[in-house]
Amino acid sequence: MGHGPAVKLGKDNAAAYKSKIGISMFFVYTLTYFGFVVINAVSPALMEKVYFGQTLAVLYGFFLIVFALVLAVIYNHFCTAAEARLN
Amino acid sequence: MIYTQSPIAIGLFCFFVLFVLGLSFYLARRTSTADGYYAAGGNIHWFTNGIAFAGDYLSAASFLGICGMIATAGFDGWMYSIGYLAGWMVALFLVAEPMKRLGKYTFTDALDSKFNSKAIQLMAAISTLVVSVFYLIPQMVGAGVLVQPLLGMPHWVGVCIVGVVVTIIVATAGMASTTYVQFFKGALLLICSSVVVGLVLFRGLGTDPNQGDTKEYHQFQTLQAEVTNGSLQVAGYDVVEGLDSEFGQEGFVKLSQDGAETVWHLKEAATGYELVEALFVTKMADGTKLYNGAPKEDGKFFAVGHIKEITVDGKEIAQTGAVGPLEFLNRFKDSTVVLWGKKYVKVGDTTTTIYYQKPTPGSRILRPGLKFKVDNASGLDKFNFISLMLALFCGTAALPHILIRYYTVPSQAAARKSTIVAIAAIGFFYILTLYLGLGAMTNGVINITDNNMSAPLLALSFGVLLFSVISSLAFATVLGTVSGLIVASAGAVAHDLMDNFLGMNMTDAGKVRAGKISAMVIGGIAIYLGIIFEGMNVSFLVGWAFAVAASANLPAILMILFWKKATAQGVAASIFVGLTSSLGLILVSPDMWIRYGLLPQDAPVAFNSPAAISIPASVLTLIIISLMTQKKGAMVEEGAEA
């Protein structure tokens, strides 16, 4: 069998914790993303409304991109802390 | 037509090619083991891997296709950017670390890590090859398309250059050289795109897109016409196709002046009609095409894209001057931009494609609905849209050529961190695509018959040097993505099929040799496919790749990770059902019916995007077959890491 990592990995005691917060954050982002998709599909005219000088479509699009990065950084922070604590 | 061949572009491209070839030969001397060849020794720094992810992922489809789509359809084009980026969150939160923990060289390793099942090895390898080849063909055809205007060479030369260079990159040092090619390409793409966007913002918005005073933008005319005794009269023109002709029935007329024919869009006015100048392409019975009534070389078909009105604080202005990123969008929203509609008129064996002006409020462009049918849409239209957005969301984390990058880093933490770098880099690039697309839309650079060149042509409006840099970069973009695809395919053949499925038990050196030979064979096949698909619009194959990956691979990956009762039979069956159902639904879709020369309404299914059906079908198959084979199959002992 040619399976198993290409480099030797140590046991990761934080894996269960990381998986748990990963799933939680995945659901948060998925809901936000599909909220965007559903508004576009069901009420596209709403996306033309202007808030803070921009259309809701542009604001929501930027939010999805920036929110992705923010969540990713928060996720990494918790994961790194858990790795330091548990390994 | 609109393109300029540039010695600087040729020089820059040659420099990039020689640089990556030199790098590949240098790295080849250090790549003698299978780990080194398939996974770059597993010691790539996470930051390098993150940028390489961007270089791997941001294919010609992203760089050229999305910018072109935004340039002609506004926000709907940007929705692809948003969907593609969102897919990386699936990769980060669910896939990155387990993929690194479970696999060795290919994503099949991770799927098969707890089963040692021949069925999984076979199905996952087939799925890898199908997805990679679908992704590969548009890249190779795109290389041929790019080389024609940029380097002045025929299509097959472009395909061969990319095919041979990439095969050398992969056959010398495998994943090691591929990683660095992707890293440099990703970094250059981000830097150069930022420069173009900076210049777009500095120029601001204006009603006269004169391309930085370097090129005269065509001044579109409006004529007044009267109807006398039922026939149209236009001062100074002869009416060739009038109100009662096929043109007239579609809302157009064809006029002639000094032997030159022109097509005009009819608009009812207080007295008679107002005629607005249009562009037209005539396809004769023998296949010859005339652009605005003349051969392409005559240059009578001009670039389009301009703003009709800019309103600031209730006053009309001609030029905004330099603006910030948010102010650019704000001013754009309050402008009226001329978009272009398309209609076909058939007279005998001659078909005329007419592109006519559609002044559209900026706020309407910055919301969905110009490309996707979402306004007053049927339930089926909405289903189709949601299904497409689902495929984009689920496809990224299941693309084999992306997943194999997880094996090049030393740890799970590095896999996670490199994904975050990828999200930052790709997210930033996708924000830039909005400005590149809207910049092209308003700077008079769009070739309306082929919007894929919008980004390079936008760069041309800032000078030949920037055009040369962006053009050679577009070509290099193909190199980075194709090398990733060939590594993934070579791994599927040499590692999954030959070594594991056929049990050839090769030595370490044998595995490297098998990988190199596989890369050369796949490179040869890629060249062949790139040449035979010349002239075909095959960009839809990238969409297929996403739909198939999302349907065949993602349910298997996620269920193995998070469902304890998954069995080998269930996983193999799920890949099979996901693969065949997504492909089958695509082949009988309305879009394909058009390609077969049939009427789209006659297609057996009424939607184009299969993901909303094929993904649930794949998941259900996995659950049912796994439950049926609990005693026979090897059960996963641990779920998500529980």
Side-chain angles (χ1 to χ4, degrees), chain B residues 267-577:
Chain B
K267 284 189 174 176
E268 285 192 32
T271 56
Y273 286 98
E274 199 171 64
L275 306 185
V276 184
E277 190 177 358
L279 298 176
F280 64 106
V281 177
T282 315
K283 190 177 180 190
M284 321 292 273
D286 62 358
T288 316
K289 280 187 177 175
L290 296 177
Y291 294 81
N292 272 3
K296 195 185 245 185
E297 305 78 56
D298 289 10
K300 287 184 72 179
F301 200 80
F302 24 74
V304 299
H306 66 277
I307 297 179
K308 195 176 176 190
E309 287 169 9
I310 305 173
T311 310
V312 178
D313 299 330
K315 288 181 189 166
E316 268 191 41
I317 59 168
Q319 185 75 36
T320 62
V323 287
L326 291 176
E327 195 186 353
F328 179 90
L329 295 173
N330 197 354
R331 297 281 172 258
F332 183 93
K333 166 182 68 64
D334 295 331
S335 305
T336 302
V337 182
V338 175
L339 297 183
W340 292 78
K342 182 160 81 167
K343 276 199 177 172
Y344 298 96
V345 176
K346 196 161 188 205
V347 181
D349 290 335
T350 303
T351 306
T352 305
T353 310
I354 302 170
Y355 301 93
Y356 62 97
Q357 300 183 45
K358 282 194 343 188
T360 310
S363 57
R364 182 73 185 76
I365 295 168
L366 293 178
R367 62 151 271 198
L370 291 178
K371 178 179 168 64
F372 301 123
K373 260 193 198 168
V374 287
D375 289 284
N376 306 317
S378 65
L380 204 63
D381 291 329
K382 292 180 197 296
F383 171 85
N384 207 24
F385 169 73
I386 292 172
S387 188
L388 171 71
M389 296 307 283
L390 180 68
L392 300 183
F393 187 64
C394 296
T396 300
L399 291 172
H401 72 286
I402 296 297
L403 293 175
I404 57 172
R405 293 227 54 83
Y406 283 122
Y407 306 126
T408 65
V409 289
S411 66
Q412 294 165 62
R416 180 180 72 242
K417 287 176 183 169
S418 62
T419 313
I420 295 168
V421 172
I423 289 169
I426 294 168
F428 178 64
F429 177 79
Y430 281 150
I431 288 176
L432 296 181
T433 59
L434 181 63
Y435 292 94
L436 291 171
L438 297 180
M441 184 188 273
T442 54
N443 277 282
V445 298
I446 302 170
N447 171 6
I448 200 69
T449 60
D450 175 15
N451 61 38
N452 280 324
M453 286 295 285
S454 298
L457 289 170
L458 175 64
L460 180 62
S461 76
F462 295 103
V464 174
L465 179 64
L466 198 57
F467 172 68
S468 305
V469 173
I470 293 291
S471 305
S472 50
L473 186 61
F475 210 72
T477 290
V478 181
L479 291 184
T481 304
V482 172
S483 42
L485 290 163
I486 291 189
V487 171
S489 307
V493 172
H495 178 66
D496 298 338
L497 289 178
M498 292 168 69
D499 196 26
N500 289 339
F501 179 70
L502 296 175
M504 291 170 76
N505 292 324
M506 288 181 276
T507 62
D508 205 52
K511 286 178 190 172
V512 175
R513 196 162 49 248
K516 290 183 175 186
I517 293 169
S518 302
M520 284 190 264
V521 172
I522 294 161
I525 293 170
I527 291 173
Y528 174 72
L529 293 172
I531 291 172
I532 61 163
F533 280 101
E534 179 188 358
M536 281 181 69
N537 182 349
V538 286
S539 55
F540 63 93
L541 288 178
V542 171
W544 285 26
F546 265 80
V548 172
S551 310
N553 300 346
L554 194 70
I557 294 169
L558 294 185
M559 295 299 270
I560 281 178
L561 295 176
F562 299 106
W563 194 47
K564 292 178 184 178
K565 292 183 176 176
T567 65
Q569 294 92 327
V571 171
S574 145
I575 299 174
F576 177 77
V577 168

Side-chain angles (χ1 to χ4, degrees), chain B residues 45-395:
Chain B
H45 189 272
W46 54 265
F47 183 80
T48 308
N49 197 49
I51 300 295
F53 261 131
D56 197 6
Y57 191 65
L58 297 174
S59 66
S62 284
F63 182 49
L64 300 177
I66 290 181
C67 289
M69 230 185 301
I70 295 172
T72 50
F75 188 80
D76 282 355
W78 199 46
M79 297 249 269
Y80 279 89
S81 295
I82 293 167
Y84 285 138
L85 181 78
W88 279 91
M89 302 311 278
V90 184
L92 174 67
F93 292 141
L94 304 181
V95 173
E97 293 197 42
M99 211 24 87
K100 174 65 197 165
R101 189 175 66 244
L102 300 175
K104 188 175 187 183
Y105 302 146
T106 64
F107 105 102
T108 307
D109 290 340
L111 285 188
D112 197 33
S113 59
K114 290 177 181 168
F115 297 113
N116 191 17
S117 155
K118 294 287 179 199
I120 291 182
Q121 289 161 11
L122 180 64
M123 289 314 304
I126 290 173
S127 172
T128 298
L129 287 172
V130 168
V131 171
S132 298
V133 168
F134 283 165
Y135 223 101
L136 196 57
I137 293 172
Q139 309 295 329
M140 296 303 286
V141 174
V145 172
L146 273 171
V147 83
Q148 285 173 311
L150 302 181
L151 308 184
M153 296 172 188
H155 180 277
W156 68 269
V157 176
V159 174
C160 286
I161 291 174
V162 167
V164 169
V165 171
V166 167
T167 304
I168 294 172
I169 291 170
V170 179
T172 47
M175 201 55 170
S177 45
T178 297
T179 297
Y180 287 105
V181 169
Q182 290 172 343
F183 171 77
F184 286 116
K185 169 218 147 173
L188 283 172
L189 191 61
L190 289 171
I191 294 167
C192 295
S193 302
S194 303
V195 170
V196 177
V197 169
L199 290 169
V200 166
L201 297 176
F202 185 72
R203 179 186 282 172
L205 297 167
T207 50
D208 184 18
N210 60 358
Q211 302 191 16
D213 294 325
T214 56
K215 189 178 173 185
E216 191 77 16
Y217 182 71
H218 179 75
Q219 296 298 318
F220 289 92
Q221 307 279 317
T222 302
L223 304 174
Q224 301 301 321
E226 291 175 357
V227 180
T228 311
N229 298 329
S231 69
L232 198 74
Q233 305 291 326
V234 188
Y237 287 86
D238 296 325
V239 178
V240 182
E241 301 278 1
L243 296 175
D244 296 331
S245 68
E246 283 87 346
F247 279 73
Q249 284 159 19
E250 291 293 335
F252 300 93
V253 289
K254 188 187 264 190
L255 308 180
S256 169
Q257 186 182 49
D258 302 328
E261 291 186 338
T262 44
V263 171
W264 303 75
H265 189 202
L266 281 166
K267 284 189 174 176
E268 285 192 32
T271 56
Y273 286 98
E274 199 171 64
L275 306 185
V276 184
E277 190 177 358
L279 298 176
F280 64 106
V281 177
T282 315
K283 190 177 180 190
M284 321 292 273
D286 62 358
T288 316
K289 280 187 177 175
L290 296 177
Y291 294 81
N292 272 3
K296 195 185 245 185
E297 305 78 56
D298 289 10
K300 287 184 72 179
F301 200 80
F302 24 74
V304 299
H306 66 277
I307 297 179
K308 195 176 176 190
E309 287 169 9
I310 305 173
T311 310
V312 178
D313 299 330
K315 288 181 189 166
E316 268 191 41
I317 59 168
Q319 185 75 36
T320 62
V323 287
L326 291 176
E327 195 186 353
F328 179 90
L329 295 173
N330 197 354
R331 297 281 172 258
F332 183 93
K333 166 182 68 64
D334 295 331
S335 305
T336 302
V337 182
V338 175
L339 297 183
W340 292 78
K342 182 160 81 167
K343 276 199 177 172
Y344 298 96
V345 176
K346 196 161 188 205
V347 181
D349 290 335
T350 303
T351 306
T352 305
T353 310
I354 302 170
Y355 301 93
Y356 62 97
Q357 300 183 45
K358 282 194 343 188
T360 310
S363 57
R364 182 73 185 76
I365 295 168
L366 293 178
R367 62 151 271 198
L370 291 178
K371 178 179 168 64
F372 301 123
K373 260 193 198 168
V374 287
D375 289 284
N376 306 317
S378 65
L380 204 63
D381 291 329
K382 292 180 197 296
F383 171 85
N384 207 24
F385 169 73
I386 292 172
S387 188
L388 171 71
M389 296 307 283
L390 180 68
L392 300 183
F393 187 64
C394 296

Side-chain angles (χ1 to χ4, degrees), chain A residues 1 30 34 50 78 85:
Chain A
M1 278 287 294
T30 303
F34 280 99
V50 175
F78 282 118
R85 194 172 63 241

